Amino acid sequence: MPANGTSHLDPKSALDHLKSYSRPDGLSVADLMDSQVHGGLTYNDFLLLPGKIDFPASDVITESRITRNIVLKTPFMSSPMDTVTESEMAIALALLGGIGVIHHNQSAESQAAMVRAVKRHENGFISDPVVLSPTHLVEDVLNIKARLGFCGIPITDTGVVGGKLVGIVTARDIQFRDPSTPLSQVMTTDLVTAQQGITLTEANDILRDSKKGKLPIINSAGQFISLLARSDLLKNQSYPLASKNPVSKQLYAAAAIGTRPSDRERLSLLVEAGLDVVVLDSSQGNSIFQIEMIEWIKATYPTLEVIAGNVVTREQAASLIVAGADGLRIGMGSGSICITQEVMAVGRPQATAVYAVAEFSNQFGVPVIADGGISNIGHIVKALSLGAGAVMMGGLLAGTEEAPGEYFYHEGKRVKAYRGMGSLEAMEQGQASKSGNVKNTGKYPAPKKSDTVENAATSRYFSESSAVKVAQGVSGDVQDKGSVKAFLPYLYVGVQHSLQDIGVKSVAQLQQSVKESKVRFELRTASAQVEGGVHGLNSYTKRLFA
C-alpha cells in the first residue's frame, strides 16, 4: 500500500478499466468537423491521436483511388499549373507512383505532345511505336530524338507497323553520320526477334539474355507487330510503384482542359495522344459549362476518366456526380498563391471542405482529391483521414528540378518562379497588345494575333470577356527543393511512418477506422499549434530528409 494510504488499482487491470469510460479519448471525426460548433477548420486546426504500433512502417500500403477506375500506389498528384506540371514532372510523378496533370496554359498541340511523351516513356509491348522505312534519312531519326527523346526505331519496308521488318536503327547507328544518309546504309539488320503471342515475361527473358536494347515482335509472315524496350525493364526495377495502365503497361497520363467550346477540339488531340484522365479546370466547378462538358465527354469518350471541380460543398458535388464525374477536386482559395477567399469572399476552409464533400461523394463511389493547402506530410495524412483519395500539390512541388522554369537567385537563395493561375501574370500569358503586336514576357511561345484573349487562366476564372481582370492569385518564387525523384520518396516514407503512428496499415484502413470512430482527433488551440512547431531556440537548421 502506498505511503499516503491511498489504494491504487491493479496495473494489470488497466485495459479493462478503459472500458469504464463513457467514450474513447479525443473526438470522432463527426464531432471534430461539426461546423456549427467549431466553424470551418484547416489542416493546422487539429491532430490525429496516436494508436498502437505492431508492424513496421515499410508494411504500410499507400494505395488509393483517384477516380472510379484508377488506383495509384501513392496518393500524390501535381497541380495543372504552368509553373508546376509539364511532361518532365508528369513522367517523374508517374514513375514514383503518383500522377501529374499537365497544364493547359499552352497550345493544344504542345499539350498533346507532352501527353505523348508521358505515354511513350515506359511501356510493356509498345503497340504503336514510331516506325521508319529504309528510304528515310538519319535526319529523320535525329528529329524524333529531339521531339520524343528516343531513337531506337524499327525499320519496315513500308515505314509503318504491319510492314515487313528489315532492320532497326539505334543511337550508335547514327553517331557521326551525315544527316542526309539513308537509313538503309546505317540500320542494323542482324536482329533478335520474338513471335507474336509471346508473353511479356517470356519477352523480357529474351531481351535480358540477348543483351539487345530493343526486341521487335513479328508475326509468322515476318511483319512487324510491336516492340519491347530494355529501358523499360530497367525502369520496372527502379520504379516498382510506377502508375501504369494494367493493359498497355504505359504510364498513366493526365491533363487539364477548360470548359469552353474550343476545349473540345483540344481534348480530341489529347485523347489521340493517349490521355487516360482529363481534369476539368475551373475555380468554381458547379457551372452549366462544366456540367455540359462532362456529359459531352462521357458520351464522346466513354472510357476516359473525368475529374471535375473544383468544389467545396455537397451541393456543388451533387451536380457534377449526376453529370457523370469519375472524381472530384476539392478546394477553393486554400492554395498558398490563391487569394480567392480574400478577394471574392467565397470559398471554404480546406479541411472542412474535404470532409463534407468526401463524406457525400464517397457514398456514390466517386473519389475526391484534396487540392490546395498541402504544405507538409502531416497535411497529406490529414486530408487522407478526412476521406480524400489523393492530394494535389502545387507549391510543395514547385521549385523542384522537374518543375518548368529556370532557377535564379533571390536574396541569396536559389529559387524558381511560382504563380497562381488566377494571377494577372498567368491571365496575361500570350495576350495581344493594343497595337496588334504579340506581347509575351513569359516562358511559353506567344500565340498568333487574336481579337479574343483566351487562355487557361482566364477560362478557369470565367474572365475571358472581362475588360478588367480581377486577380485571384499572386506570383512569387519558391526555394529550390532538388529533384522530385528524391523529394517524393521522402513524402511517401513520411506517410508510411505517420500511418504507423496512427496504428493503421493502409489508407483504406485509416479511412475505415475514422468512419468507425476508432481513429480519434483533437482540436488545436493557437498556443497548441505554436507548441507543436519548433520553438524556444535561438536558431536552428531544418533538414527534412537525407
Side-chain angles (χ1 to χ4, degrees), residues 57 60 62 76 376-378 380-381 384 486-502 544-545:
V60 173
T62 60
F76 306 135
N376 52 52
I377 292 169
I380 295 172
V381 174
L384 296 175
F487 187 65
L488 220 66
Y490 152 70
L491 298 181
Y492 170 66
V493 174
V495 169
Q496 285 184 309
H497 279 276
S498 179
L499 266 60
Q500 181 193 40
D501 281 346
I502 297 168
L544 296 178
F545 62 94

Side-chain angles (χ1 to χ4, degrees), residues 280-309:
L280 299 184
D281 194 27
S282 175
S283 63
Q284 213 283 51
N286 189 21
S287 70
I288 188 63
F289 311 111
Q290 184 155 153
I291 291 170
E292 289 178 350
M293 179 65 89
I294 296 171
E295 292 172 344
W296 177 81
I297 293 173
K298 299 311 288 186
T300 309
Y301 307 106
T303 61
L304 184 64
E305 298 291 296
V306 180
I307 296 176

Side-chain angles (χ1 to χ4, degrees), residues 190-251:
D190 181 19
L191 303 177
V192 174
T193 62
Q195 287 294 311
Q196 184 179 19
I198 191 172
T199 67
L200 184 59
T201 301
E202 292 169 340
N204 285 340
D205 290 340
I206 294 174
L207 196 56
R208 179 194 63 212
D209 297 339
S210 68
K211 300 182 182 179
K212 298 289 187 181
K214 299 285 190 296
L215 179 66
I217 309 299
I218 60 176
N219 62 17
S220 57
Q223 295 170 318
F224 176 64
I225 302 299
S226 61
L227 187 69
L228 190 68
R230 173 176 289 273
S231 59
D232 291 337
L233 289 180
L234 298 175
K235 290 168 192 169
N236 287 339
Q237 293 178 345
S238 301
Y239 302 106
L241 300 175
S243 304
K244 302 181 197 175
N245 183 303
V247 177
S248 68
K249 304 299 181 184
Q250 293 177 312
L251 295 179

Side-chain angles (χ1 to χ4, degrees), residues 66-67 72 74-79 84-85 93 98-101 254 277 279 307 329 368-370 389-394 397 488:
I66 62 164
T67 71
L72 301 181
T74 64
F76 306 135
M77 302 179 69
S78 66
S79 181
V84 178
T85 310
L93 252 74
I99 193 168
V101 184
V277 183
V279 175
I307 296 176
R329 282 169 78 190
V368 303
I369 297 154
V391 296
M392 183 169 278
M393 300 171 286
L397 298 178
L488 220 66

Side-chain angles (χ1 to χ4, degrees), residues 71 86 97 99 160 179 216 225 242-243 266 286 323 327 341 413 424 514:
V71 176
E86 291 187 347
I99 193 168
V160 296
I225 302 299
S243 304
R266 176 184 292 267
N286 189 21
Q341 294 182 14
K413 295 180 180 179
L424 292 180
V514 168

Side-chain angles (χ1 to χ4, degrees), residues 261-537:
S262 60
D263 287 294
R264 300 188 180 193
E265 299 173 13
R266 176 184 292 267
L267 183 58
S268 68
L269 291 179
L270 299 179
V271 171
E272 184 181 335
L275 189 69
D276 299 293
V277 183
V278 62
V279 175
L280 299 184
D281 194 27
S282 175
S283 63
Q284 213 283 51
N286 189 21
S287 70
I288 188 63
F289 311 111
Q290 184 155 153
I291 291 170
E292 289 178 350
M293 179 65 89
I294 296 171
E295 292 172 344
W296 177 81
I297 293 173
K298 299 311 288 186
T300 309
Y301 307 106
T303 61
L304 184 64
E305 298 291 296
V306 180
I307 296 176
N310 281 29
V311 299
V312 292
T313 70
R314 292 189 295 265
E315 288 76 12
Q316 287 178 296
S319 298
L320 303 184
I321 291 171
V322 170
D326 299 300
L328 296 174
R329 282 169 78 190
I330 303 175
M332 192 173 185
S334 56
S336 61
I337 40 67
C338 189
I339 55 174
T340 296
Q341 294 182 14
E342 173 188 335
V343 174
M344 301 298 167
V346 177
R348 197 174 197 181
Q350 185 68 347
T352 297
V354 171
Y355 173 72
V357 178
E359 186 277 331
F360 178 78
S361 66
N362 285 340
Q363 297 179 57
F364 301 93
V366 179
V368 303
I369 297 154
D371 176 21
I374 301 294
S375 301
N376 52 52
I377 292 169
H379 291 170
I380 295 172
V381 174
K382 290 174 183 179
L384 296 175
S385 73
L386 296 176
V391 296
M392 183 169 278
M393 300 171 286
L396 200 59
L397 298 178
T400 58
E401 293 175 7
E402 291 77 7
E406 300 297 327
Y407 286 109
F408 61 96
Y409 283 88
H410 180 68
E411 296 181 351
K413 295 180 180 179
R414 191 169 186 254
V415 299
K416 268 190 180 182
Y418 177 50
R419 68 187 186 189
M421 294 306 290
S423 66
L424 292 180
E425 290 79 3
M427 290 185 180
E428 291 168 352
Q429 178 75 43
Q431 181 172 340
S433 66
K434 291 181 181 179
S435 64
N437 296 323
V438 174
K439 172 187 175 183
N440 181 48
T441 58
K443 173 180 183 294
Y444 305 99
K448 295 180 180 179
K449 284 194 227 176
S450 174
D451 296 327
T452 302
V453 176
E454 181 174 335
N455 66 10
T458 55
S459 65
R460 187 178 202 276
Y461 292 90
F462 307 101
S463 302
E464 302 96 320
S465 59
S466 299
V468 176
K469 306 299 182 193
V470 179
Q472 296 190 46
V474 301
S475 294
D477 56 64
V478 291
Q479 195 164 349
D480 175 16
K481 295 186 180 75
S483 174
V484 77
K485 292 180 180 178
F487 187 65
L488 220 66
Y490 152 70
L491 298 181
Y492 170 66
V493 174
V495 169
Q496 285 184 309
H497 279 276
S498 179
L499 266 60
Q500 181 193 40
D501 281 346
I502 297 168
V504 294
K505 292 184 178 181
S506 68
V507 173
Q509 186 183 352
L510 168 66
Q511 294 176 345
Q512 185 60 35
S513 297
V514 168
K515 275 186 188 178
E516 297 173 354
S517 297
K518 294 178 181 177
V519 169
R520 310 289 285 182
F521 299 82
E522 192 69 272
L523 278 170
R524 302 171 83 191
T525 62
S527 56
Q529 293 182 38
V530 172
E531 178 187 69
V534 179
H535 61 280
L537 299 180

